[in-house]
Amino acid sequence: MMENIFSEKFFLSAAEVNAEGEMSIPLLTSRIIDVATAHANSLGIGNPSMQSLGCGWVLSRLAVEMTRYPQVNETYCISTWVEAWNRHFSTRNFAITDAAGNPLGYATSIWMVINYVTHENAGLTHLHLAPDMVNDTKVPIARPGRHVVGQPTETPREYAFKYCDLDFYRHVNTVRYVQLLINSFSLEEMDANMVRRLDLAFIREGRYGETVRVLTHRDGNHIELSLRNAEDEDLLLGAGVDLCPRNTNA
Amino acid sequence: MMENIFSEKFFLSAAEVNAEGEMSIPLLTSRIIDVATAHANSLGIGNPSMQSLGCGWVLSRLAVEMTRYPQVNETYCISTWVEAWNRHFSTRNFAITDAAGNPLGYATSIWMVINYVTHENAGLTHLHLAPDMVNDTKVPIARPGRHVVGQPTETPREYAFKYCDLDFYRHVNTVRYVQLLINSFSLEEMDANMVRRLDLAFIREGRYGETVRVLTHRDGNHIELSLRNAEDEDLLLGAGVDLCPRNTNA
């Protein structure tokens, strides 16, 4: 029997954690995508069912909000469900919980299907999802916002995409973008703060060999980041990061 | 009942593959470490059992040799066992197989325990492994070699380690090293060739903010790579990569 909520348990091994001994936000992003993929595959609406059409899912927007991250050697669970489904896109939500079922955080995302030969939006009409597989339960966090940096408050950094940054679609992997953005912060700052919320809006894909500029606008603990082509300033991605001080009493 | 061979199955999702639609060598390295970690934990000789001592496992040497990599949407299996165990280090082997049990490749590795406060070698004498948990089955590949580049044949590249490159020990994550080395190759070259064999020998850990130079010596399809501190030339890592042409008839 198929369920409209799909859950997977994970063990956070020592090899996977960040310098603070907890789950990193790039790894969380990776797990969120993996769980979404596994659920879609189990429902028969995943990439394997579209392979002959040359189509596949792409993440368009993502918001993640965490009150606590799993710690090293901790078991955690990610649950996901399709909140909304229409001919253009799908909204998929996530709940991250500890081993006892206590909430650690939530995520909400928007997905589209592209033809990875033409790189055009292919729509969802060729996929069949039974109506009872949609579960309109909301998550208690704001929808993904779109952040665009107007006036940077910091010196832009440059980065050229390399071979290992590419994914199946031969454009830049989502997790590499998250690493590139989070590398804007120093070890000292991340020892003192955690990422409370991350917003990602993907505008256009990054290409092999392309040099991008990371533009940053800081306003206290709210940081907006944009990735733009270093030459023509074409926008690839807009992101928002909210930091909050770590609980030093823990 | 405990087994001296530990196996785990994985599904290679679209989000995980490289530009050629197959498992990347950085991901394979990550899975090898995860499976080793899970097996050690199940035997009571993992990091959780050493947490109070401030000790943990570090990978010292690794050799991986593959005849074929798992493809997108393929299920594969990694099996691991402890081939040798002494007071200084442990040799751990791996077999990578497809869903039908056919071999895809093998790996062999040497692990040590360090005190991650003092960063000194702590030895294995405080760990108890039952003799029947050692399985001296060899793998049909050469032991990890030590490669050091004398005269580079290519212009060295520089890289400064950033926040997301760090792991639990607050030094550079093994997978980041592999990405840094493999990024020496172009997309065109990797479309035409696969990594048949990778050798890694870790000499000393990389630090936050440290700038390293990637030195490369090419001799046909055999490439030796060294990572050295950009200022004092201190050696961090020696690596060997053997490429072989992809089977274009596949």
Side-chain angles (χ1 to χ4, degrees):
Chain A
M1 206 195 80
M2 281 188 291
E3 300 285 347
N4 66 24
I5 299 183
F6 177 91
S7 296
E8 200 169 334
K9 277 190 181 171
F10 299 94
F11 174 81
L12 187 68
S13 74
E16 292 179 324
V17 299
N18 62 16
E20 293 79 26
E22 66 186 19
M23 186 177 213
S24 70
I25 186 100
L27 178 63
L28 177 57
T29 307
S30 175
R31 291 285 187 236
I32 282 172
I33 294 170
D34 285 346
V35 170
T37 302
H39 188 210
N41 289 355
S42 78
L43 293 172
I45 55 165
N47 286 354
S49 69
M50 291 186 269
Q51 213 159 5
S52 61
L53 298 172
C55 291
W57 288 102
V58 285
L59 181 59
S60 173
R61 295 209 182 184
L62 175 69
V64 183
E65 212 169 298
M66 298 294 283
T67 47
R68 182 172 85 73
Y69 286 86
Q71 302 293 301
V72 62
N73 301 322
E74 186 175 345
T75 297
Y76 61 98
C77 179
I78 303 182
S79 300
T80 184
W81 60 96
V82 176
E83 186 203 322
W85 179 271
N86 64 39
R87 66 169 65 190
H88 304 296
F89 61 85
S90 169
T91 304
R92 183 180 272 287
N93 293 340
F94 303 84
I96 302 102
T97 52
D98 68 14
N102 302 308
L104 300 176
Y106 299 93
T108 180
S109 58
I110 296 169
W111 295 76
M112 304 195 317
V113 171
I114 63 154
N115 180 304
Y116 50 72
V117 181
T118 63
H119 285 228
E120 277 170 7
N121 188 346
L124 276 55
T125 47
H126 64 287
L127 293 169
H128 177 70
L129 183 68
D132 61 346
M133 289 298 115
V134 176
N135 177 331
D136 66 1
T137 306
K138 308 281 182 293
V139 282
I141 67 171
R143 299 278 176 198
R146 183 172 167 172
H147 302 277
V148 177
V149 174
Q151 281 298 324
T153 55
E154 310 196 2
T155 310
R157 289 180 301 127
E158 287 199 353
Y159 180 77
F161 294 122
K162 295 171 186 69
Y163 172 71
C164 289
D165 297 325
L166 301 186
D167 67 8
F168 179 67
Y169 301 120
R170 303 177 78 87
H171 53 71
V172 176
N173 188 304
T174 304
V175 178
R176 294 296 177 281
Y177 286 124
V178 178
Q179 290 171 337
L180 181 59
L181 297 171
I182 299 298
N183 278 338
S184 301
F185 304 109
S186 69
L187 176 60
E188 193 182 12
E189 183 157 41
M190 296 309 275
D191 281 347
N193 296 281
M194 61 170 248
V195 177
R196 194 186 62 80
R197 182 177 165 101
L198 172 69
D199 280 84
L200 294 172
F202 297 96
I203 315 300
R204 79 122 167 106
E205 60 211 33
R207 303 183 195 107
Y208 175 71
E210 179 174 10
T211 300
V212 291
R213 204 164 277 162
V214 185
L215 305 174
T216 308
H217 182 95
R218 293 197 68 129
D219 183 6
N221 277 335
H222 178 71
I223 301 98
E224 306 207 323
L225 301 128
S226 296
L227 283 193
R228 287 188 182 275
N229 181 288
E231 285 171 29
D232 63 13
E233 306 215 326
D234 195 21
L235 184 65
L236 283 77
L237 182 155
V241 173
D242 289 288
L243 299 179
C244 73
R246 289 176 187 278
N247 183 352
T248 49
N249 300 321
Chain B
M1 206 194 79
M2 282 189 291
E3 300 286 348
N4 66 22
I5 300 183
F6 178 91
S7 296
E8 201 168 334
K9 277 189 182 172
F10 298 94
F11 174 82
L12 186 68
S13 75
E16 292 179 323
V17 299
N18 62 15
E20 292 79 25
E22 66 186 19
M23 186 177 212
S24 69
I25 187 100
L27 178 62
L28 176 57
T29 308
S30 174
R31 291 284 187 241
I32 282 172
I33 295 169
D34 285 346
V35 170
T37 303
H39 189 210
N41 289 355
S42 77
L43 294 172
I45 55 165
N47 286 353
S49 69
M50 292 187 266
Q51 213 160 6
S52 61
L53 298 171
C55 290
W57 288 101
V58 286
L59 182 59
S60 173
R61 295 208 182 184
L62 175 68
V64 183
E65 212 169 298
M66 298 293 281
T67 47
R68 182 173 85 74
Y69 287 86
Q71 302 293 301
V72 61
N73 300 321
E74 186 175 345
T75 297
Y76 61 97
C77 179
I78 303 181
S79 300
T80 185
W81 60 96
V82 176
E83 186 204 320
W85 179 272
N86 64 38
R87 67 170 61 192
H88 303 297
F89 60 85
S90 169
T91 303
R92 183 180 272 286
N93 293 340
F94 304 84
I96 303 102
T97 52
D98 68 14
N102 302 308
L104 300 176
Y106 298 93
T108 180
S109 59
I110 296 169
W111 296 76
M112 302 194 319
V113 171
I114 62 155
N115 181 305
Y116 48 72
V117 180
T118 64
H119 286 229
E120 277 169 8
N121 188 346
L124 274 56
T125 48
H126 64 287
L127 293 170
H128 176 71
L129 183 68
D132 60 347
M133 290 298 115
V134 177
N135 178 330
D136 65 3
T137 305
K138 309 278 182 293
V139 282
I141 66 171
R143 301 276 177 201
R146 183 172 168 173
H147 302 278
V148 177
V149 174
Q151 280 299 324
T153 55
E154 307 196 3
T155 309
R157 289 180 302 127
E158 289 200 350
Y159 180 77
F161 293 123
K162 295 172 186 69
Y163 171 71
C164 290
D165 297 324
L166 301 185
D167 68 9
F168 180 67
Y169 301 119
R170 302 176 81 87
H171 53 71
V172 175
N173 188 304
T174 304
V175 179
R176 293 296 177 280
Y177 287 125
V178 178
Q179 290 172 335
L180 180 58
L181 297 171
I182 299 298
N183 278 337
S184 301
F185 304 108
S186 69
L187 175 60
E188 194 181 11
E189 184 158 41
M190 296 310 273
D191 281 347
N193 296 282
M194 61 169 249
V195 177
R196 194 187 62 81
R197 181 177 166 103
L198 173 69
D199 279 85
L200 293 172
F202 298 96
I203 316 299
R204 79 122 166 104
E205 60 211 33
R207 303 183 194 108
Y208 176 72
E210 179 174 11
T211 299
V212 291
R213 203 165 277 162
V214 186
L215 305 175
T216 308
H217 182 95
R218 293 195 70 128
D219 183 7
N221 277 335
H222 178 72
I223 301 98
E224 305 208 323
L225 300 128
S226 294
L227 283 193
R228 287 188 182 274
N229 181 289
E231 286 170 28
D232 63 14
E233 306 216 326
D234 195 20
L235 184 65
L236 282 78
L237 180 154
V241 174
D242 289 288
L243 299 179
C244 72
R246 289 176 186 279
N247 182 353
T248 49
N249 301 321

